[in-house]
Amino acid sequence: PIGPWREEAQVGTMSPAIALAFLPLVVTLLVRYRHYFRLLVRTVLLRSLRDCLSGLRIEERAFSYVLTHALPGDPGHILTTLDHWSSCCEYLSHMGPVKGQILMRLVEEKAPACVLELGTYCGYSTLLIARALPPGGRLLTVERDPRTAAVAEKLIRLAGFDEHMVELIVGSSEDVIPCLRTQYQLSRADLVLLAHRPRCYLRDLQLLEAHALLPAGATVLADHVLFPGAPRFLQYAKSCGRYRCRLHHTGLPDFPAIKDGIAQLTYAGPG
């Protein structure tokens, strides 16, 4: 009777002591990874709550904001409006202005006749590419989610780009790539942007190679190669001997402390 009571009392008094012992560790982790916690709150917790309350996805809410605040036919103003909404209203998880400048500069520099984008999302990077295309240039962009693709389609047309210049294909990249030559008359992609799922980058790059869609000298750009990361893709690109690789270091939009980057690959040919 007395013994067990004393044992329970000791356990009860030890629990706060154990908690206090772990407190410095918890505080250290919160401080060190505070940017990741903020990102988690904005991209998962708050977004899920707003999705439930509004019945709309974040891309649909973003497009509603664009409709009331941006100038139709002005892609630059539409992009700026999306950046403002993402910074001040809801975090959009889009490419953002810093990476966007890198993308536009490379498109202008390479002047590709045909661009393939895998991962349209809300259409932000699509507008960046379309703005920088040379006269007569063509952009095919692929989005697997029909609801997201519907928003991107409206944004692209609102910016003033027609179907001849920017064609949006709804489907998974794994299914679309083998059909590009026969169904969409794409015989070569001078520039490719991988912006969908980093875990699919390696598979899709190898599909593009297998279907001979990359001419010698083609540029392949891959977003989010450091966060969340695409290590197998980077390892393959560096070790296979068919690419010259460069990494453009950046941070996430509104979270510059979270390091990310765009990989730039130049295809040397099948070898």
PDB file of all heavy atoms in Angstrom, residues 245-269:
ATOM      1  N   CYS A 245      25.927  19.935 -66.783  1.00  0.00           N
ATOM      2  CA  CYS A 245      25.022  20.313 -65.700  1.00  0.00           C
ATOM      3  C   CYS A 245      25.470  21.605 -65.022  1.00  0.00           C
ATOM      4  O   CYS A 245      26.667  21.836 -64.829  1.00  0.00           O
ATOM      5  CB  CYS A 245      24.938  19.203 -64.653  1.00  0.00           C
ATOM      6  SG  CYS A 245      24.430  17.611 -65.306  1.00  0.00           S
ATOM      7  N   ARG A 246      24.480  22.404 -64.684  1.00  0.00           N
ATOM      8  CA  ARG A 246      24.709  23.622 -63.902  1.00  0.00           C
ATOM      9  C   ARG A 246      23.539  23.781 -62.942  1.00  0.00           C
ATOM     10  O   ARG A 246      22.397  23.465 -63.295  1.00  0.00           O
ATOM     11  CB  ARG A 246      24.806  24.843 -64.817  1.00  0.00           C
ATOM     12  CG  ARG A 246      25.028  26.146 -64.061  1.00  0.00           C
ATOM     13  CD  ARG A 246      25.040  27.336 -65.005  1.00  0.00           C
ATOM     14  NE  ARG A 246      25.152  28.583 -64.267  1.00  0.00           N
ATOM     15  CZ  ARG A 246      25.047  29.790 -64.819  1.00  0.00           C
ATOM     16  NH1 ARG A 246      24.836  29.903 -66.121  1.00  0.00           N
ATOM     17  NH2 ARG A 246      25.146  30.880 -64.074  1.00  0.00           N
ATOM     18  N   LEU A 247      23.819  24.289 -61.745  1.00  0.00           N
ATOM     19  CA  LEU A 247      22.769  24.476 -60.742  1.00  0.00           C
ATOM     20  C   LEU A 247      22.640  25.950 -60.403  1.00  0.00           C
ATOM     21  O   LEU A 247      23.615  26.602 -60.021  1.00  0.00           O
ATOM     22  CB  LEU A 247      23.085  23.674 -59.477  1.00  0.00           C
ATOM     23  CG  LEU A 247      22.004  23.649 -58.392  1.00  0.00           C
ATOM     24  CD1 LEU A 247      20.706  23.055 -58.919  1.00  0.00           C
ATOM     25  CD2 LEU A 247      22.488  22.863 -57.176  1.00  0.00           C
ATOM     26  N   HIS A 248      21.433  26.488 -60.572  1.00  0.00           N
ATOM     27  CA  HIS A 248      21.140  27.871 -60.197  1.00  0.00           C
ATOM     28  C   HIS A 248      20.545  27.849 -58.783  1.00  0.00           C
ATOM     29  O   HIS A 248      19.409  27.399 -58.583  1.00  0.00           O
ATOM     30  CB  HIS A 248      20.141  28.491 -61.173  1.00  0.00           C
ATOM     31  CG  HIS A 248      20.629  28.529 -62.595  1.00  0.00           C
ATOM     32  ND1 HIS A 248      21.359  29.575 -63.110  1.00  0.00           N
ATOM     33  CD2 HIS A 248      20.491  27.626 -63.604  1.00  0.00           C
ATOM     34  CE1 HIS A 248      21.644  29.336 -64.381  1.00  0.00           C
ATOM     35  NE2 HIS A 248      21.128  28.157 -64.711  1.00  0.00           N
ATOM     36  N   HIS A 249      21.297  28.321 -57.809  1.00  0.00           N
ATOM     37  CA  HIS A 249      20.853  28.289 -56.411  1.00  0.00           C
ATOM     38  C   HIS A 249      19.873  29.428 -56.137  1.00  0.00           C
ATOM     39  O   HIS A 249      20.107  30.581 -56.503  1.00  0.00           O
ATOM     40  CB  HIS A 249      22.048  28.404 -55.473  1.00  0.00           C
ATOM     41  CG  HIS A 249      22.924  27.195 -55.465  1.00  0.00           C
ATOM     42  ND1 HIS A 249      22.706  26.108 -54.644  1.00  0.00           N
ATOM     43  CD2 HIS A 249      24.017  26.888 -56.206  1.00  0.00           C
ATOM     44  CE1 HIS A 249      23.624  25.189 -54.863  1.00  0.00           C
ATOM     45  NE2 HIS A 249      24.437  25.636 -55.809  1.00  0.00           N
ATOM     46  N   THR A 250      18.754  29.085 -55.493  1.00  0.00           N
ATOM     47  CA  THR A 250      17.739  30.062 -55.117  1.00  0.00           C
ATOM     48  C   THR A 250      17.153  29.657 -53.766  1.00  0.00           C
ATOM     49  O   THR A 250      17.575  28.673 -53.162  1.00  0.00           O
ATOM     50  CB  THR A 250      16.591  30.126 -56.152  1.00  0.00           C
ATOM     51  OG1 THR A 250      15.882  28.876 -56.135  1.00  0.00           O
ATOM     52  CG2 THR A 250      17.110  30.405 -57.549  1.00  0.00           C
ATOM     53  N   GLY A 251      16.152  30.411 -53.324  1.00  0.00           N
ATOM     54  CA  GLY A 251      15.345  30.016 -52.174  1.00  0.00           C
ATOM     55  C   GLY A 251      13.901  29.879 -52.614  1.00  0.00           C
ATOM     56  O   GLY A 251      13.551  30.213 -53.742  1.00  0.00           O
ATOM     57  N   LEU A 252      13.054  29.402 -51.714  1.00  0.00           N
ATOM     58  CA  LEU A 252      11.625  29.337 -52.026  1.00  0.00           C
ATOM     59  C   LEU A 252      11.029  30.743 -51.983  1.00  0.00           C
ATOM     60  O   LEU A 252      11.473  31.585 -51.200  1.00  0.00           O
ATOM     61  CB  LEU A 252      10.894  28.455 -51.012  1.00  0.00           C
ATOM     62  CG  LEU A 252      11.180  26.950 -51.019  1.00  0.00           C
ATOM     63  CD1 LEU A 252      10.235  26.257 -50.050  1.00  0.00           C
ATOM     64  CD2 LEU A 252      11.048  26.356 -52.400  1.00  0.00           C
ATOM     65  N   PRO A 253      10.016  31.027 -52.793  1.00  0.00           N
ATOM     66  CA  PRO A 253       9.340  32.327 -52.703  1.00  0.00           C
ATOM     67  C   PRO A 253       8.814  32.566 -51.291  1.00  0.00           C
ATOM     68  O   PRO A 253       8.161  31.701 -50.705  1.00  0.00           O
ATOM     69  CB  PRO A 253       8.180  32.192 -53.705  1.00  0.00           C
ATOM     70  CG  PRO A 253       8.608  31.117 -54.647  1.00  0.00           C
ATOM     71  CD  PRO A 253       9.446  30.168 -53.847  1.00  0.00           C
ATOM     72  N   ASP A 254       9.136  33.733 -50.741  1.00  0.00           N
ATOM     73  CA  ASP A 254       8.724  34.139 -49.386  1.00  0.00           C
ATOM     74  C   ASP A 254       9.427  33.348 -48.285  1.00  0.00           C
ATOM     75  O   ASP A 254       9.209  33.619 -47.098  1.00  0.00           O
ATOM     76  CB  ASP A 254       7.203  34.025 -49.195  1.00  0.00           C
ATOM     77  CG  ASP A 254       6.435  34.911 -50.154  1.00  0.00           C
ATOM     78  OD1 ASP A 254       6.917  36.026 -50.431  1.00  0.00           O
ATOM     79  OD2 ASP A 254       5.372  34.494 -50.637  1.00  0.00           O
ATOM     80  N   PHE A 255      10.247  32.372 -48.653  1.00  0.00           N
ATOM     81  CA  PHE A 255      11.021  31.600 -47.681  1.00  0.00           C
ATOM     82  C   PHE A 255      12.466  31.475 -48.178  1.00  0.00           C
ATOM     83  O   PHE A 255      12.940  30.375 -48.470  1.00  0.00           O
ATOM     84  CB  PHE A 255      10.423  30.207 -47.458  1.00  0.00           C
ATOM     85  CG  PHE A 255       9.068  30.208 -46.831  1.00  0.00           C
ATOM     86  CD1 PHE A 255       7.923  30.242 -47.623  1.00  0.00           C
ATOM     87  CD2 PHE A 255       8.926  30.205 -45.456  1.00  0.00           C
ATOM     88  CE1 PHE A 255       6.662  30.253 -47.053  1.00  0.00           C
ATOM     89  CE2 PHE A 255       7.663  30.208 -44.866  1.00  0.00           C
ATOM     90  CZ  PHE A 255       6.527  30.231 -45.665  1.00  0.00           C
ATOM     91  N   PRO A 256      13.180  32.589 -48.311  1.00  0.00           N
ATOM     92  CA  PRO A 256      14.529  32.547 -48.896  1.00  0.00           C
ATOM     93  C   PRO A 256      15.519  31.719 -48.085  1.00  0.00           C
ATOM     94  O   PRO A 256      16.532  31.271 -48.636  1.00  0.00           O
ATOM     95  CB  PRO A 256      14.940  34.027 -48.932  1.00  0.00           C
ATOM     96  CG  PRO A 256      14.072  34.699 -47.918  1.00  0.00           C
ATOM     97  CD  PRO A 256      12.771  33.952 -47.935  1.00  0.00           C
ATOM     98  N   ALA A 257      15.229  31.495 -46.792  1.00  0.00           N
ATOM     99  CA  ALA A 257      16.129  30.690 -45.974  1.00  0.00           C
ATOM    100  C   ALA A 257      16.059  29.204 -46.319  1.00  0.00           C
ATOM    101  O   ALA A 257      16.963  28.436 -45.971  1.00  0.00           O
ATOM    102  CB  ALA A 257      15.823  30.894 -44.491  1.00  0.00           C
ATOM    103  N   ILE A 258      14.978  28.779 -46.987  1.00  0.00           N
ATOM    104  CA  ILE A 258      14.862  27.385 -47.431  1.00  0.00           C
ATOM    105  C   ILE A 258      15.491  27.293 -48.815  1.00  0.00           C
ATOM    106  O   ILE A 258      14.960  27.811 -49.794  1.00  0.00           O
ATOM    107  CB  ILE A 258      13.389  26.933 -47.460  1.00  0.00           C
ATOM    108  CG1 ILE A 258      12.774  27.038 -46.061  1.00  0.00           C
ATOM    109  CG2 ILE A 258      13.276  25.503 -47.979  1.00  0.00           C
ATOM    110  CD1 ILE A 258      11.302  26.648 -45.995  1.00  0.00           C
ATOM    111  N   LYS A 259      16.639  26.659 -48.876  1.00  0.00           N
ATOM    112  CA  LYS A 259      17.427  26.655 -50.098  1.00  0.00           C
ATOM    113  C   LYS A 259      16.853  25.686 -51.134  1.00  0.00           C
ATOM    114  O   LYS A 259      16.485  24.563 -50.817  1.00  0.00           O
ATOM    115  CB  LYS A 259      18.883  26.280 -49.800  1.00  0.00           C
ATOM    116  CG  LYS A 259      19.561  27.237 -48.815  1.00  0.00           C
ATOM    117  CD  LYS A 259      19.463  28.685 -49.293  1.00  0.00           C
ATOM    118  CE  LYS A 259      20.078  29.655 -48.306  1.00  0.00           C
ATOM    119  NZ  LYS A 259      19.859  31.066 -48.715  1.00  0.00           N
ATOM    120  N   ASP A 260      16.798  26.150 -52.362  1.00  0.00           N
ATOM    121  CA  ASP A 260      16.329  25.336 -53.481  1.00  0.00           C
ATOM    122  C   ASP A 260      17.172  25.680 -54.692  1.00  0.00           C
ATOM    123  O   ASP A 260      18.133  26.464 -54.592  1.00  0.00           O
ATOM    124  CB  ASP A 260      14.841  25.596 -53.734  1.00  0.00           C
ATOM    125  CG  ASP A 260      14.196  24.537 -54.624  1.00  0.00           C
ATOM    126  OD1 ASP A 260      14.829  23.485 -54.840  1.00  0.00           O
ATOM    127  OD2 ASP A 260      13.074  24.761 -55.099  1.00  0.00           O
ATOM    128  N   GLY A 261      16.832  25.124 -55.837  1.00  0.00           N
ATOM    129  CA  GLY A 261      17.596  25.430 -57.023  1.00  0.00           C
ATOM    130  C   GLY A 261      16.938  24.906 -58.280  1.00  0.00           C
ATOM    131  O   GLY A 261      16.061  24.041 -58.242  1.00  0.00           O
ATOM    132  N   ILE A 262      17.355  25.479 -59.403  1.00  0.00           N
ATOM    133  CA  ILE A 262      16.944  25.017 -60.730  1.00  0.00           C
ATOM    134  C   ILE A 262      18.155  24.387 -61.395  1.00  0.00           C
ATOM    135  O   ILE A 262      19.213  25.019 -61.520  1.00  0.00           O
ATOM    136  CB  ILE A 262      16.417  26.172 -61.594  1.00  0.00           C
ATOM    137  CG1 ILE A 262      15.145  26.765 -60.978  1.00  0.00           C
ATOM    138  CG2 ILE A 262      16.146  25.695 -63.018  1.00  0.00           C
ATOM    139  CD1 ILE A 262      14.600  27.959 -61.744  1.00  0.00           C
ATOM    140  N   ALA A 263      18.019  23.129 -61.813  1.00  0.00           N
ATOM    141  CA  ALA A 263      19.099  22.466 -62.549  1.00  0.00           C
ATOM    142  C   ALA A 263      18.968  22.789 -64.024  1.00  0.00           C
ATOM    143  O   ALA A 263      17.869  22.742 -64.583  1.00  0.00           O
ATOM    144  CB  ALA A 263      19.045  20.966 -62.323  1.00  0.00           C
ATOM    145  N   GLN A 264      20.081  23.107 -64.644  1.00  0.00           N
ATOM    146  CA  GLN A 264      20.114  23.373 -66.084  1.00  0.00           C
ATOM    147  C   GLN A 264      21.010  22.321 -66.746  1.00  0.00           C
ATOM    148  O   GLN A 264      22.211  22.244 -66.477  1.00  0.00           O
ATOM    149  CB  GLN A 264      20.678  24.776 -66.355  1.00  0.00           C
ATOM    150  CG  GLN A 264      20.816  25.089 -67.848  1.00  0.00           C
ATOM    151  CD  GLN A 264      21.483  26.434 -68.085  1.00  0.00           C
ATOM    152  OE1 GLN A 264      21.633  27.244 -67.166  1.00  0.00           O
ATOM    153  NE2 GLN A 264      21.898  26.695 -69.321  1.00  0.00           N
ATOM    154  N   LEU A 265      20.385  21.496 -67.580  1.00  0.00           N
ATOM    155  CA  LEU A 265      21.109  20.445 -68.282  1.00  0.00           C
ATOM    156  C   LEU A 265      21.171  20.778 -69.769  1.00  0.00           C
ATOM    157  O   LEU A 265      20.176  21.212 -70.347  1.00  0.00           O
ATOM    158  CB  LEU A 265      20.438  19.085 -68.108  1.00  0.00           C
ATOM    159  CG  LEU A 265      19.958  18.656 -66.715  1.00  0.00           C
ATOM    160  CD1 LEU A 265      19.356  17.257 -66.786  1.00  0.00           C
ATOM    161  CD2 LEU A 265      21.091  18.721 -65.717  1.00  0.00           C
ATOM    162  N   THR A 266      22.321  20.572 -70.374  1.00  0.00           N
ATOM    163  CA  THR A 266      22.457  20.709 -71.818  1.00  0.00           C
ATOM    164  C   THR A 266      22.751  19.334 -72.393  1.00  0.00           C
ATOM    165  O   THR A 266      23.730  18.682 -72.018  1.00  0.00           O
ATOM    166  CB  THR A 266      23.602  21.680 -72.160  1.00  0.00           C
ATOM    167  OG1 THR A 266      23.344  22.947 -71.540  1.00  0.00           O
ATOM    168  CG2 THR A 266      23.683  21.888 -73.671  1.00  0.00           C
ATOM    169  N   TYR A 267      21.882  18.898 -73.289  1.00  0.00           N
ATOM    170  CA  TYR A 267      21.961  17.550 -73.824  1.00  0.00           C
ATOM    171  C   TYR A 267      22.996  17.499 -74.953  1.00  0.00           C
ATOM    172  O   TYR A 267      22.935  18.258 -75.923  1.00  0.00           O
ATOM    173  CB  TYR A 267      20.583  17.135 -74.354  1.00  0.00           C
ATOM    174  CG  TYR A 267      20.481  15.713 -74.833  1.00  0.00           C
ATOM    175  CD1 TYR A 267      20.813  14.647 -74.014  1.00  0.00           C
ATOM    176  CD2 TYR A 267      19.995  15.426 -76.120  1.00  0.00           C
ATOM    177  CE1 TYR A 267      20.689  13.332 -74.432  1.00  0.00           C
ATOM    178  CE2 TYR A 267      19.860  14.112 -76.551  1.00  0.00           C
ATOM    179  CZ  TYR A 267      20.217  13.078 -75.705  1.00  0.00           C
ATOM    180  OH  TYR A 267      20.092  11.765 -76.142  1.00  0.00           O
ATOM    181  N   ALA A 268      23.952  16.574 -74.815  1.00  0.00           N
ATOM    182  CA  ALA A 268      25.020  16.440 -75.811  1.00  0.00           C
ATOM    183  C   ALA A 268      24.654  15.479 -76.934  1.00  0.00           C
ATOM    184  O   ALA A 268      25.354  15.419 -77.936  1.00  0.00           O
ATOM    185  CB  ALA A 268      26.304  15.973 -75.132  1.00  0.00           C
ATOM    186  N   GLY A 269      23.582  14.732 -76.766  1.00  0.00           N
ATOM    187  CA  GLY A 269      23.200  13.735 -77.757  1.00  0.00           C
ATOM    188  C   GLY A 269      23.254  12.350 -77.165  1.00  0.00           C
ATOM    189  O   GLY A 269      23.743  12.138 -76.045  1.00  0.00           O
TER     190      GLY A 269
END
